[in-house]
């Protein structure tokens, strides 16, 4: 027996909560390195599962009645924004764990061959460069998270405006407002959408330029 859309929503929300819990374990300083890596991998699996459930719910929305469809669409959209935030958090944590594992491997290679090859310990410049790289990566991660949050907020505002626009048009039709005025309102809605898309493009360009700047630095 196939699950209803409400059941799919509950399952997807549980999976997102599980992914959030695993990400907290991966970020916890009290967790061992192996446990952090394992928790991050589990979070990735949970996020992939939630992505599949969201895609399935999109196809199920069309089968719902008009009265329930808008409410369910809003719930799915909210869950999708939560999923995007968790994906950003996972990517940030995966980079942190990857950098830490690489540092451990480099340290082991460096000091492991010191006696035989006479390799010197890292200099102050090496340590400072490593710290600078970490600060740059943290800044890029912060900018990326802010950009994703802005895009999610814009997407949510778009859905709210679409719902409000539909309700206003329904009220106007009920009151007998002229078609010309309705067309003016629809053109204004189109312009608002264009400005929103321009803002998203500008945000992406700013993030890309900032990332390139920090990477070269």
């Amino acid at each position: 027996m196939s699950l209803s859309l409400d059941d799919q929503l509950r399952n997807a929300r549980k999976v997102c909560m599980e992914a959030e819990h695993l990400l907290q374990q991966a970020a916890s300083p009290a967790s061992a390195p192996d446990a952090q890596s394992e928790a991050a991998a589990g979070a990735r699996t949970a996020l992939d599962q939630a992505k599949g459930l969201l895609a399935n719910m999109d196809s199920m929305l069309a089968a719902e009645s008009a009265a329930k469809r808008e409410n369910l669409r809003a719930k799915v959209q909210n869950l999708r924004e939560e999923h995007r935030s968790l994906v950003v958090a996972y990517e940030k944590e995966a980079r942190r764990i990857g950098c830490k594992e690489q540092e451990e491997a480099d340290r082991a290679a460096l000091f492991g061959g010191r006696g035989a090859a006479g390799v010197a310990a890292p200099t102050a410049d090496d340590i400072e460069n490593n710290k600078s790289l970490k600060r740059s990566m943290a800044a890029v991660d912060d900018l990326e998270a802010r950009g994703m949050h802005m895009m999610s907020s814009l997407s949510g505002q778009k859905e709210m405006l679409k719902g409000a626009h539909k309700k206003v048009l329904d009220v106007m039709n009920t009151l007998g407002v002229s078609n010309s005025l309705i067309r003016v309102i629809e053109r204004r809605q189109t312009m608002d959408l264009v400005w929103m898309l321009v803002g998203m493009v500008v945000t992406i360009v700013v993030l890309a330029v900032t990332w390139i700047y920090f990477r070269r630095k």
Side-chain angles (χ1 to χ4, degrees):
M1 180 177 179
S2 60
L3 296 177
S4 66
L5 186 52
D6 287 326
D7 292 333
Q8 295 268 18
L9 273 168
R10 282 192 290 270
N11 288 343
R13 191 168 289 110
K14 288 179 181 178
V15 173
C16 285
M17 291 176 63
E18 179 185 355
E20 183 178 10
H21 177 67
L22 288 169
L23 286 174
Q24 290 174 353
Q25 289 183 352
S28 175
S31 300
D34 291 343
Q36 290 180 347
S37 300
E38 184 178 351
R44 173 60 185 273
T45 301
L47 290 172
D48 289 342
Q49 183 181 354
K51 182 179 180 181
L53 290 172
L54 285 168
N56 189 40
M57 284 185 281
D58 285 336
S59 62
M60 295 175 66
L61 278 171
E64 296 292 334
S65 63
K68 294 179 59 178
R69 190 179 302 131
E70 290 303 320
N71 184 40
L72 289 172
R73 181 178 284 112
K75 291 182 179 180
V76 172
Q77 181 63 26
N78 289 336
L79 188 59
R80 180 174 286 107
E81 291 176 7
E82 180 182 352
H83 178 264
R84 287 173 182 167
S85 298
L86 289 172
V87 169
V88 171
Y90 162 76
E91 291 174 347
K92 180 179 179 180
E93 195 59 34
R95 283 194 293 269
R96 183 191 67 79
I97 293 174
C99 288
K100 187 175 181 180
E101 291 176 348
Q102 185 62 45
E103 287 176 4
E104 293 295 333
D106 291 343
R107 187 178 294 108
L110 178 64
F111 291 103
R114 182 178 178 183
V119 179
T123 64
D125 288 340
D126 293 332
I127 296 174
E128 185 60 32
N129 289 335
N130 190 29
K131 291 181 179 179
S132 178
L133 178 60
K134 287 183 179 180
R135 287 194 296 267
S136 298
M137 293 181 64
V140 171
D141 288 338
D142 183 61
L143 287 171
E144 182 182 5
R146 292 184 183 182
M148 288 296 296
H149 178 71
M150 290 173 61
M151 294 179 67
S152 297
S153 298
L154 288 172
S155 178
Q157 292 173 13
K158 175 187 174 184
E159 292 298 325
M160 292 176 61
L161 287 172
K162 286 173 63 177
H165 177 252
K166 183 177 181 299
K167 291 180 181 179
V168 169
L169 291 181
D170 290 341
V171 172
M172 287 183 173
N173 286 327
T174 302
L175 297 176
V177 178
S178 65
N179 290 331
S180 61
L181 181 56
I182 292 177
R183 284 195 295 271
V184 170
I185 295 174
E186 289 177 342
R187 285 197 296 270
R188 177 59 184 273
Q189 178 72 12
T190 301
M191 289 301 300
D192 289 342
L193 177 60
V194 170
W195 281 112
M196 185 195 74
L197 293 175
V198 170
M200 293 174 68
V201 170
V202 170
T203 300
I204 293 173
V205 170
V206 171
L207 288 173
V209 171
T210 305
W211 181 78
I212 293 172
Y213 171 77
F214 279 110
R215 186 178 182 183
R216 289 181 177 178
K217 186 175 180 182

